[in-house]
Amino acid sequence: MVNTRLGQWLNLLVCLLVLLKAESIPVGITYVPSAVPKGAVCLDGSPPAYHFSEGFGAGINNWLVHFEGGGWCNNVTTCLARKSTRLGSSKQMVKEIAFSGMLSNKQKFNPDFYNWNRIKVRYCDGASFTGDVEAVNPSTNLHFRGARVWLAIIEDLFAKGMKNAENAILSGCSAGGLTSILHCDRFRSLLPLRTKVKCLSDAGYFINAKDVSGAQHIEKFYSEVVATHGSAKTLPPSCTSRLSPGLCFFPQNVAPQIQTPIFFVNAAYDSWQIKNILAPGVADPHGTWHSCKIDVKKCSPVQLKTMQDFRLQFLSAISGLNASPSKGLFVDSCYAHCQTEMQETWLRDDSPVLGRTTIAKAVGDWFYDRSPFKKIDCPYPCNPTCHNRIFDPNHNEHLE
């Protein structure tokens, strides 16, 4: 029986791998050595990098620039730990990654953007591409230059044809989704006025909420990120002119003032936020939330009530977006994090839907002005199309 069960699992794994291969394409890495003389480097001083799948046909002058996520480092100790990984050094990055979902080149899986120039920018600065500290301590050799990296990447893509773009999207997942929020208007300002420019944030709307112990854990953490990386001068002045720089790392204090059209894809029960903002390890020393954070079906009634309250806080944090006709919303009630890069959540027969609409169709209709889209799901567990998975391709570390 054991051998039979093992065989069934192996067959299932093989089928999944075949399916993933059919739905994705491998894309090689491109380093940007020209960025180094400008000081636009990763934490360890190595050149930034991205993966580029060229557009074709009618999409040859359209550009989708997607920023990778991967959390943040908030002090020298955590940045040193990050420095020797793919999240702090291009030397540690794999040479090839799979493009799927919004980055797919197959019309069946990505009907509106499959033939665009599709770029995934690797994340190696630890502050959502906002840092800009000139000095480098020789004892640590840490470079806090994320804002310079962002600009160097954009300039490199301009040289490859993006300066002539007809359509352009700045997008990102998680910490990369925060990047697309913080840099949205700047991206618009760098492109010609004739270019249609919009932004998209996937799982990047991190809210300023207390943890289960009542502490402002994430607020303190973000303030430390901004201070360590010298991010204050690169954050949107529409926010820093009103609030302290640390608070301007929260989308709820920035997004309402964004002038460029922007679309937000987010789970109301974002699995990363539940694990790291609501119930981080420091606030749960006895691990009572451990099983719940792994599988939402294992949450106790009290924990589910706490998560429902968190959803209400999230809805309050996005309420300022409702009045703007240029902003789009796809807020589902799934227990998920990052839904645009994965084929199963972007566009497949069993993908999550709101109002019978997939994320892919909602974003495509909004970008091409076919129809606006602003929908917020009913509370968990009302949506049977949710996959409620906690896998996240960009995160293997937590704040705890």
Side-chain angles (χ1 to χ4, degrees):
M1 181 179 287
V2 173
N3 288 337
T4 301
R5 190 173 297 167
L6 179 60
Q8 290 173 337
W9 276 110
L10 288 174
N11 287 335
L12 178 61
L13 181 60
V14 169
C15 290
L16 285 172
L17 290 173
V18 170
L19 181 62
L20 287 172
K21 188 173 182 181
E23 292 179 345
S24 62
I25 57 163
V27 180
I29 197 166
T30 298
Y31 299 100
V32 190
S34 61
V36 177
K38 304 172 185 175
V41 293
C42 298
L43 282 172
D44 71 334
S46 59
Y50 58 82
H51 300 258
F52 183 11
S53 179
E54 292 188 15
F56 55 92
I60 199 165
N61 289 319
N62 299 333
W63 295 74
L64 169 61
V65 186
H66 184 86
F67 282 78
E68 181 183 31
W72 309 269
C73 58
N74 62 322
N75 53 43
V76 170
T77 301
T78 56
C79 290
L80 277 175
R82 194 180 179 96
K83 176 183 164 186
S84 57
T85 73
R86 64 176 178 83
L87 293 171
S89 172
S90 60
K91 298 174 184 176
Q92 306 300 323
M93 295 173 184
V94 294
K95 302 298 187 288
E96 191 176 85
I97 62 173
F99 273 21
S100 63
M102 193 178 186
L103 297 175
S104 174
N105 70 340
K106 296 179 174 67
Q107 188 173 11
K108 174 184 177 182
F109 298 127
N110 188 24
D112 283 308
F113 310 110
Y114 73 98
N115 58 1
W116 285 36
N117 294 284
R118 287 152 290 104
I119 297 95
K120 182 168 182 175
V121 181
R122 302 304 298 272
Y123 184 33
C124 67
D125 74 286
S128 290
F129 297 88
T130 62
D132 191 8
V133 176
E134 180 64 35
V136 177
N137 187 328
S139 65
T140 63
N141 196 38
L142 282 171
H143 297 72
F144 301 114
R145 306 282 180 76
R148 298 190 198 186
V149 169
W150 185 88
L151 184 58
I153 292 286
I154 299 301
E155 289 175 343
D156 197 66
L157 294 175
F158 267 45
K160 292 182 176 178
M162 193 166 71
K163 64 182 178 182
N164 299 315
E166 293 176 9
N167 296 291
I169 295 176
L170 182 73
S171 70
C173 150
S174 193
L178 179 57
T179 299
S180 68
I181 294 170
L182 297 176
H183 287 284
C184 183
D185 282 339
R186 190 178 187 201
F187 183 66
R188 162 69 278 183
S189 72
L190 294 172
L191 283 153
L193 288 176
R194 67 177 183 277
T195 306
K196 181 174 186 171
V197 179
K198 295 189 178 185
C199 304
L200 178 133
S201 171
D202 178 11
Y205 210 97
F206 301 94
I207 68 169
N208 188 5
K210 292 180 179 179
D211 63 31
V212 291
S213 74
Q216 297 283 154
H217 178 65
I218 190 65
E219 183 177 310
K220 179 175 181 290
F221 182 85
Y222 271 1
S223 292
E224 291 168 352
V225 171
V226 169
T228 297
H229 291 261
S231 303
K233 59 180 176 287
T234 69
L235 293 172
S238 60
C239 180
T240 54
S241 62
R242 300 178 294 111
L243 301 170
S244 65
L247 292 176
C248 294
F249 222 59
F250 287 102
Q252 65 203 77
N253 296 325
V254 175
Q257 286 77 46
I258 294 175
Q259 299 300 305
T260 308
I262 184 168
F263 196 104
F264 299 93
V265 176
N266 230 101
Y269 308 90
D270 183 283
S271 58
W272 192 94
Q273 295 197 53
I274 297 295
K275 290 191 291 182
N276 295 284
I277 294 180
L278 179 63
V282 67
D284 182 35
H286 301 296
T288 55
W289 277 80
H290 180 73
S291 295
C292 174
K293 291 193 291 186
I294 291 175
D295 184 354
V296 69
K297 293 177 182 177
K298 294 181 179 178
C299 296
S300 70
V302 173
Q303 289 170 333
L304 283 175
K305 172 65 167 60
T306 302
M307 289 172 63
Q308 298 292 12
D309 291 342
F310 182 84
R311 171 183 177 269
L312 293 177
Q313 290 183 72
F314 182 85
L315 297 186
S316 176
I318 64 171
S319 61
L321 309 177
N322 292 327
S324 173
S326 68
K327 292 179 172 62
L329 286 173
F330 189 108
V331 178
D332 58 34
S333 287
C334 305
Y335 187 62
H337 186 68
C338 291
Q339 301 178 85
T340 60
E341 286 182 70
M342 296 171 59
Q343 197 61 53
E344 68 174 84
T345 45
W346 173 249
L347 179 62
R348 218 166 63 185
D349 291 343
D350 61 344
S351 293
V353 295
L354 283 183
R356 299 183 181 180
T357 304
T358 62
I359 296 172
K361 188 175 190 315
V363 172
D365 286 350
W366 168 82
F367 181 83
Y368 283 109
D369 301 312
R370 294 190 292 252
S371 64
F373 195 93
K374 273 186 189 164
K375 291 191 184 298
I376 297 171
D377 211 351
C378 46
Y380 173 86
C382 71
N383 190 337
T385 66
C386 283
H387 292 199
N388 291 330
R389 57 184 291 154
I390 62 168
F391 169 75
D392 172 11
N394 297 305
H395 288 71
N396 57 10
E397 85 293 334
H398 308 288
L399 303 187
E400 36 195 78

